Amino acid sequence: MDLKDQLKNLFPEHIVEEETASNKNDFWWQTEPLICKYEKRKGKPITIIEGFNGASNDFKILAKEIKTWLSVGGSFKDDSIIIQGDYRDKIMKLLQEKGFKVKRVGG
């Protein structure tokens, strides 16, 4: 007899609720869309992601995940993620799969 059976014997009128699936991501839930924009600095293309209103630690984890997934360099500065190269489409797709709203800005 396992624990669930014992609880049913003690509380026969109790209705067991199924656990609902959690959000797709473990990050702070965004109310406003993330801004994904393209710039050139010193002649080299970069993708910038801004607008995260959660904890900066979560944003750093997200930055590392994006850099690892794309196998590119980048950094986290001034509450924005800077990725080397023009990867707006791939980054937007990844963020949307994680449950974020994303807005494309620029070119």
Side-chain angles (χ1 to χ4, degrees), residues 1-12:
M1 184 181 283
D2 64 341
L3 183 61
K4 287 184 180 181
D5 293 333
Q6 291 176 1
L7 288 173
K8 285 181 185 177
N9 290 338
L10 289 173
F11 305 103

Side-chain angles (χ1 to χ4, degrees), residues 1-89:
M1 184 181 283
D2 64 341
L3 183 61
K4 287 184 180 181
D5 293 333
Q6 291 176 1
L7 288 173
K8 285 181 185 177
N9 290 338
L10 289 173
F11 305 103
E13 66 276 349
H14 178 72
I15 300 170
V16 179
E17 295 180 8
E18 295 292 324
E19 292 183 21
T20 59
S22 62
N23 293 338
K24 291 183 181 178
N25 57 17
D26 297 328
F27 301 110
W28 181 268
W29 191 254
Q30 279 291 116
T31 54
E32 306 227 347
L34 293 175
I35 306 297
C36 188
K37 62 183 179 178
Y38 168 80
E39 284 185 12
K40 278 194 171 183
R41 292 188 182 170
K42 297 182 182 177
K44 298 183 181 181
I46 60 168
T47 304
I48 301 173
I49 303 163
E50 298 176 330
F52 190 78
N53 60 8
S56 63
N57 208 17
D58 287 344
F59 207 37
K60 287 179 185 178
I61 293 169
L62 181 62
K64 181 172 175 118
E65 188 173 328
I66 290 171
K67 292 188 300 184
T68 304
W69 183 68
L70 293 172
S71 301
V72 296
S75 64
F76 173 79
K77 292 183 186 174
D78 302 326
D79 295 332
S80 64
I81 298 173
I82 301 170
I83 302 293
Q84 296 174 355
D86 184 10
Y87 293 102
R88 285 177 291 180
D89 296 330

